[in-house]
Amino acid sequence: VQLQESGPGLVRPSGTLSLTCDVSGGSIGISNWWSWIRQSPGKGLEWIGEIHGSGRASYNPSLKSRVTISVDNSKNRFSLELTSVTAADTAVYFCTRNGQVSLDSWGHGILVTVSS
Amino acid sequence: EVVLTQSPGTLSLSPGERATLSCRASQNVNSNYLAWYQQKPGQAPRLLIYAAFTRAIGIPDRFSGSGSGTDFTLTISRLEPEDFAVYYCQLYDTSPLYTFGQGTKLEIK
């Protein structure tokens, strides 16, 4: 399976970060869970949340109030929205497939900078 | 939340040598929920080991995982030039679902 992130590379402070992950080589909705991870110099690797093809989602408590992850089975993609962003949200964002207690497939990542 | 602490921060070795990387959890964890990743500059992390001991598809057998309780180890038996990278341990837990160590950089001596 291949994953590809897309979206704006620059977001204004207090705005909303919106990213999409296109999945190819497999169906998003059959049996897997899918996650968003971010990586920044200050916080390292951080799990943001996950979603199942059914639409069921769970989030990192530290971000839960600002995060929504959704899925579009018809387009074989899932998406991330992060509201009220600050400079601390500047990071490389990865989408992944959840494997057995691990993350077994990763997109290349997309750098998102929060700046005015 | 369980905290994973990796050591050393940087490990300097030569090709052909054996590398031993440590990951310590702040409390006892189920070894079946521990994984290791390799990350090279400009790339995404790549899964190496999951369930503490099981190599992911395509991972050479010079990579091995061990440990239990709070102490886990990733061993690279004989370093190849392509093995110099940053390595992360990761725990599958309840909340948050996935947590990571801060990484060990393996550099060429």
Side-chain angles (χ1 to χ4, degrees), chain B:
Chain B
E1 176 182 342
V2 178
V3 176
L4 300 178
T5 302
Q6 293 186 240
S7 61
T10 302
L11 183 59
S12 300
L13 294 170
S14 301
E17 290 192 293
R18 180 185 185 91
T20 303
L21 288 68
S22 174
C23 177
R24 176 163 290 180
S26 58
Q27 58 188 268
N28 279 346
V29 301
N30 187 329
S31 60
N32 289 321
Y33 295 162
L34 201 287
W36 289 91
Y37 300 81
Q38 175 194 69
Q39 186 177 32
K40 297 181 179 179
Q43 297 184 16
R46 177 176 71 143
L47 178 64
L48 298 175
I49 303 281
Y50 63 94
F53 320 108
T54 304
R55 279 186 297 276
I57 295 171
I59 302 303
D61 60 8
R62 64 180 181 273
F63 290 91
S64 63
S66 62
S68 63
T70 60
D71 293 311
F72 298 88
T73 300
L74 174 70
T75 302
I76 310 172
S77 59
R78 190 176 174 82
L79 285 166
E80 298 287 342
E82 62 268 26
D83 298 336
F84 292 91
V86 179
Y87 291 83
Y88 295 94
C89 58
Q90 168 252 299
L91 177 68
Y92 178 80
D93 204 352
T94 51
S95 184
L97 206 54
Y98 299 92
T99 55
F100 296 86
Q102 83 281 15
T104 289
K105 181 180 181 181
L106 178 57
E107 65 177 22
I108 298 178
K109 188 173 182 180

Side-chain angles (χ1 to χ4, degrees), chain A residues 59-71:
Chain A
Y59 304 116
N60 190 323
S62 68
L63 297 167
K64 187 174 183 177
S65 63
R66 299 194 291 130
V67 173
T68 301
I69 298 176
S70 58
V71 64

Side-chain angles (χ1 to χ4, degrees), chain A residues 11 13 20 24 37 40-42 74 79 97 102 113:
Chain A
V11 182
T20 296
S24 59
I37 305 290
S40 61
S74 67
S79 299
R97 183 180 70 178
S102 57
T113 301

Side-chain angles (χ1 to χ4, degrees), chain A:
Chain A
V1 67
Q2 291 80 44
L3 301 96
Q4 179 67 58
E5 305 89 349
S6 61
L10 179 65
V11 182
R12 303 300 184 194
S14 77
T16 297
L17 181 158
S18 298
L19 298 175
T20 296
C21 181
D22 287 293
V23 179
S24 59
S27 174
I28 199 169
I30 292 181
S31 60
N32 287 108
W33 288 78
W34 309 85
S35 283
W36 285 98
I37 305 290
R38 67 182 184 179
Q39 185 173 32
S40 61
K43 295 200 72 175
L45 288 161
E46 182 179 30
W47 176 74
I48 300 170
E50 65 170 2
I51 193 159
H52 189 267
S54 63
R56 182 178 159 196
S58 67
Y59 304 116
N60 190 323
S62 68
L63 297 167
K64 187 174 183 177
S65 63
R66 299 194 291 130
V67 173
T68 301
I69 298 176
S70 58
V71 64
D72 186 338
N73 285 287
S74 67
K75 295 183 178 178
N76 222 38
R77 61 171 47 164
F78 60 105
S79 299
L80 168 70
E81 283 201 346
L82 181 65
T83 62
S84 304
V85 296
T86 68
D89 296 309
T90 294
V92 176
Y93 287 75
F94 297 98
C95 58
T96 73
R97 183 180 70 178
N98 297 12
Q100 184 176 340
V101 301
S102 57
L103 304 162
D104 64 6
S105 295
W106 295 62
H108 292 104
I110 182 169
L111 173 62
V112 179
T113 301
V114 178
S115 176
S116 55

